[in-house]
Amino acid sequence: MLSMADTQQADEAAEPAAAGKSGDRRAARLARQIRAFAASHGGSAEGQLAHIGRGRTRIALVGANGEWGNLVADSFDQAKDAAAQAGLTLHDDFDGDLAAKVRTGRYEWTRMAGLQLGGPANAGA
């Protein structure tokens, strides 16, 4: 189950030319993961697709309860297909209304902004 900035990546050994049926299976698997994320985070989710390099696409997810997570698809088309299969509402950008729904917790404040805001030091970071 993905939550709070977890990222699950596709198999690095997968060949882009081998997409075909395995790509369809991967999209279906991503769709199941999106639906599971939504079910465990308030019953629904919204998302945004972003190219992240080497042909991969990040599916950023924000649950109805504000929890967030990421999945990584082998291609933009695969990510778009998975989102459609899951019934995911997609946003063009991760700002405005979508960003406002993200709930950050103690982890984010201490790891990303804690030092600047006088939070505890990140030992071992």
Side-chain angles (χ1 to χ4, degrees):
M1 193 55 47
L2 301 177
S3 66
M4 297 298 291
D6 288 342
T7 301
Q8 187 171 59
Q9 296 200 8
D11 180 9
E12 292 293 328
E15 291 291 327
K21 289 187 180 184
S22 65
D24 295 343
R25 287 193 304 266
R26 176 74 175 135
R29 181 174 175 218
L30 287 166
R32 285 192 303 276
Q33 292 172 315
I34 293 168
R35 286 190 297 271
F37 176 88
S40 64
H41 294 290
S44 66
E46 299 177 48
Q48 188 262 340
L49 306 181
H51 296 281
I52 57 173
R54 294 189 181 194
R56 309 269 191 215
T57 298
R58 174 185 66 141
I59 305 170
L61 301 169
V62 179
N65 66 356
E67 295 285 329
W68 59 284
N70 291 296
L71 294 168
V72 177
D74 295 328
S75 68
F76 187 81
D77 289 339
Q78 187 180 78
K80 196 171 175 181
D81 186 29
Q85 288 181 39
L88 185 67
T89 299
L90 290 175
H91 294 260
D92 292 331
D93 297 302
F94 198 95
D95 61 4
D97 293 334
L98 184 60
K101 293 177 183 183
V102 173
R103 187 185 75 201
T104 56
R106 179 175 167 79
Y107 173 81
E108 287 83 8
W109 283 103
T110 58
R111 293 289 293 166
M112 294 188 268
L115 294 175
Q116 291 84 354
L117 298 175
N122 294 317

